[in-house]
Amino acid sequence: MTKHRIVIIGTGFGGISTALNLLRKGISDFIMLERRSFYGGTWLQNRYPGAAVDVPSPLYSIEGEPYAWSQLFAARDELESYTVNLIKKHKLDKHIRLNSEVKTAQWDEDNKNWLISLSDNSQLETKILVNATGPLSTPVVPDFEGKDSFKGVSFHCNDWPDGLDLTNKSVAIVGSGASAIQIIPAIVDKVKTLHVFQRTPHWVLSRPDMYFPKWFRKWLPKKWLYGLIKWTIYVHHELRVIAFKYSKTLLKLVAQKPALRHLKKQVKDEDLRQSLTPDFVIGCKRILMSNTYYPALQKDNVVFHDKTSGIKRINESGIETTKDEQLNVDIIAFATGYDAADSMISYKVIGRKDLSLDEQWKTFPRAYLGTSLPNFPNFFVVTGPNTGIGHTSAIFVIESQMRYIMQCIDIALSSENATIEPTEYAEDNYTRMVHDEMTKTVWHYGGCQSWYQNKSGKVIAMFPGFSFTYRQLCKSFKKHDHTINL
């Protein structure tokens, strides 16, 4: 059995941030487990056409790691380059073990260690376990009748096949969310026919993208300039919380009205425009940004299906709609999202007294600071329950969690048998605060169902406030909120 002081599960930005913080502390005895055959997380996994970040690139970067971005909203290939550059620059690849899917992680009370079992039947032992698999790592495909009978090519867009030839093909895109609105414009001119299935319309704002001139890219990696640009963008985006939480009038003024103008400007057909107009308050679901989605839907080779013409069943040749139309297609791509609320962790975690995480979370996922849990010593979840952000970069939240996790790790490594976990009282108080505050937000009152919510209807994905408030909570370590055994 292999032993490490710290095991990190995941090699995306959550895992990278954890590893970099450990190296800064002089801790090198750690391993990063990756279930795939390649490292890097989201921006190496998502290879679908048109993939790009939806927050400005300088904001979507690791603290102290500037990059000469070519445009304001970086495309997938550039994000891959940035991710790989970070791993190579800091030699994190030496700490990464590929093709290592975790099946179970179980706390050993006698030895004060975590025992980790992998799919190849090997085992690891570690004092500290950090889950950094990310909330958007479990794709969801609805269980359509006949789905497995289709003889063409079908897949979730998270697993877009390498080298897929779309030329002269009839393609169906199921979904109209964040991935779909990037895929559709990117492939519409390549395919013969494109069927787009929309269950629920989303609010879409124009995308204020721009390419940076060469002279600007040359100066951009300068830390002082990069920091200034990053924090200017951060402040601008942080102001959005005022609308999301404190002012319905402001939300309509600065977001919903511009979205309606954008829709009216780009879609002249009244019937189509009506089908594309959401019936919930903007912000309740993720706000999308695109200048090309609406025009793509109006191409001659596109057939748009709203809820009145949904999928009745899938058969060998394609899709039968609820209007009893048979659509013969070559490819079905499911852009149907992820289970970000109920399946945050895909493997089995067993804590003290054989208590499983599934059992502790049977009502809804919850954690102290969205990061640590009573009954699960020396265990930390990066981007855990209620750490999502609808207005700024998720990396800011990850780096905020690091302020807390690293303080806990110092305590856990202070002696051979040291353990730390939040008290049930502290976790309960924190969770109550989060969900009380959530009632003030558009994610709660906005009148929609979204992936922000779990099966019970609670908003699990989002933090109900300013991200700097969350960072301060993570920085202000409260010893009395924890059970510490040294």
Side-chain angles (χ1 to χ4, degrees):
M1 182 181 295
T2 307
K3 296 184 179 180
H4 295 277
R5 296 175 81 187
I6 300 168
V7 168
I8 303 166
I9 304 175
T11 60
F13 280 125
I16 292 170
S17 293
T18 305
L20 292 181
N21 276 273
L22 291 176
L23 291 176
R24 290 176 193 135
K25 295 175 75 65
I27 300 171
S28 58
D29 183 13
F30 64 87
I31 191 168
M32 304 169 72
L33 302 179
E34 174 55 63
R35 65 182 177 180
R36 302 182 180 97
S37 60
F38 53 89
Y39 54 67
T42 296
W43 298 112
L44 280 86
Q45 172 61 26
N46 281 294
R47 299 178 300 278
Y48 63 80
V53 74
D54 59 0
V55 297
S57 308
L59 193 59
Y60 197 81
S61 56
I62 297 288
E63 203 168 11
E65 297 291 342
Y67 192 74
W69 301 105
S70 66
Q71 63 189 104
L72 187 59
F73 292 89
R76 180 259 175 201
D77 289 352
E78 195 165 17
L79 290 157
E80 176 187 358
S81 297
Y82 178 63
T83 306
V84 172
N85 177 67
L86 283 173
I87 291 171
K88 294 290 188 182
K89 175 183 175 181
H90 297 282
K91 300 179 180 178
L92 298 182
D93 47 336
K94 295 180 180 180
H95 295 269
I96 294 174
R97 177 173 166 176
L98 300 175
N99 300 305
S100 299
E101 183 176 3
V102 176
K103 289 298 184 183
T104 61
Q106 183 158 9
W107 176 250
D108 180 354
E109 183 64 30
D110 293 335
N111 295 307
K112 302 295 186 293
N113 277 323
W114 283 96
L115 301 177
I116 302 167
S117 299
L118 304 181
S119 57
D120 63 1
N121 296 320
S122 62
Q123 288 190 315
L124 301 174
E125 185 177 342
T126 186
K127 187 171 183 58
I128 297 166
L129 179 59
V130 180
N131 179 85
T133 54
L136 302 181
S137 58
T138 306
V140 172
V141 176
D143 191 21
F144 293 111
E145 180 185 342
K147 181 181 65 176
D148 296 333
S149 67
F150 180 58
K151 291 190 175 181
V153 179
S154 66
F155 50 87
H156 191 281
C157 65
N158 182 253
D159 295 308
W160 194 277
D162 287 332
L164 179 66
D165 184 10
L166 299 172
T167 307
N168 205 35
K169 296 292 195 302
S170 293
V171 179
I173 299 289
V174 182
S176 58
S179 299
I181 73 159
Q182 295 182 337
I183 294 169
I184 291 165
I187 70 172
V188 67
D189 292 328
K190 300 176 183 177
V191 303
K192 178 182 178 182
T193 306
L194 182 61
H195 292 275
V196 176
F197 286 87
Q198 172 193 274
R199 184 181 63 177
T200 306
H202 289 255
W203 288 106
V204 180
L205 289 169
S206 62
R207 186 181 182 88
D209 205 358
M210 61 179 293
Y211 284 92
F212 298 139
K214 289 183 179 180
W215 67 265
F216 185 78
R217 292 190 67 191
K218 182 178 180 181
W219 280 88
L220 192 55
K222 304 290 184 181
K223 288 190 176 182
W224 67 269
L225 177 60
Y226 199 85
L228 178 62
I229 294 170
K230 183 175 180 178
W231 283 102
T232 300
I233 296 172
Y234 170 78
V235 171
H236 172 73
H237 280 65
E238 199 67 13
L239 293 173
R240 297 178 181 181
V241 177
I242 299 172
F244 283 149
K245 185 176 181 181
Y246 298 106
S247 175
K248 296 178 183 179
T249 301
L250 186 61
L251 184 60
K252 288 185 177 182
L253 182 65
V254 302
Q256 192 155 316
K257 284 189 175 182
L260 285 170
R261 286 197 300 269
H262 181 58
L263 176 59
K264 188 174 183 179
K265 179 181 178 182
Q266 291 202 323
V267 181
K268 301 303 181 184
D269 183 89
E270 290 188 12
D271 290 336
L272 179 58
R273 193 163 66 236
Q274 184 62 37
S275 294
L276 292 168
T277 304
D279 61 0
F280 53 84
V281 180
I282 193 169
C284 183
K285 287 177 179 277
R286 184 176 179 178
I287 300 174
L288 308 180
M289 291 191 299
S290 177
N291 299 326
T292 56
Y293 174 57
Y294 290 147
L297 290 182
Q298 298 167 85
K299 296 268 188 174
D300 291 339
N301 63 332
V302 174
V303 183
F304 178 74
H305 304 266
D306 63 13
K307 62 182 180 181
T308 66
S309 179
I311 297 175
K312 185 176 182 179
R313 62 175 61 90
I314 296 174
N315 52 41
E316 292 184 0
S317 303
I319 295 170
E320 183 182 344
T321 73
T322 53
K323 289 184 175 180
D324 295 325
E325 298 172 297
Q326 174 63 34
L327 309 176
N328 294 333
V329 298
D330 304 300
I331 298 167
I332 302 176
F334 294 98
T336 44
Y338 301 83
D339 190 346
D342 288 295
S343 295
M344 287 187 172
I345 298 177
S346 59
Y347 53 91
K348 191 171 185 179
V349 184
I350 304 169
R352 292 187 189 276
K353 300 178 181 179
D354 290 328
L355 177 66
S356 72
L357 184 58
D358 286 341
E359 185 178 351
Q360 183 153 314
W361 279 0
K362 63 183 177 182
T363 305
F364 60 90
R366 50 194 291 164
Y368 179 79
L369 297 177
T371 308
S372 60
L373 302 92
N375 304 310
F376 295 82
N378 299 354
F379 177 64
F380 307 99
V381 184
V382 182
T383 58
N386 293 110
T387 58
I389 290 293
H391 61 281
T392 190
S393 169
I395 295 177
F396 184 89
V397 174
I398 290 171
E399 292 171 342
S400 299
Q401 287 184 282
M402 292 302 132
R403 268 75 171 171
Y404 169 69
I405 291 172
M406 292 302 141
Q407 292 179 82
C408 291
I409 284 177
D410 284 341
I411 293 171
L413 294 180
S414 62
S415 71
E416 185 177 350
N417 294 317
T419 64
I420 180 170
E421 63 191 279
T423 66
E424 291 187 359
Y425 179 78
E427 185 274 313
D428 187 60
N429 277 348
Y430 178 79
T431 298
R432 286 177 183 273
M433 180 276 292
V434 163
H435 289 288
D436 284 347
E437 290 295 308
M438 194 68 70
T439 61
K440 305 172 187 176
T441 70
V442 66
W443 308 308
H444 175 83
Y445 71 73
C448 71
Q449 289 185 328
S450 72
W451 62 263
Y452 297 161
Q453 302 162 327
N454 82 325
K455 292 174 183 176
S456 71
K458 280 190 174 291
V459 179
I460 300 301
M462 311 301 281
F463 179 75
F466 294 103
S467 62
F468 61 77
T469 301
Y470 179 75
R471 174 161 291 193
Q472 188 58 41
L473 289 171
C474 290
K475 287 175 64 177
S476 304
F477 184 82
K478 297 178 180 177
K479 188 175 181 180
H480 63 270
D481 279 355
H482 297 79
T483 299
I484 298 172
N485 296 307
L486 300 176

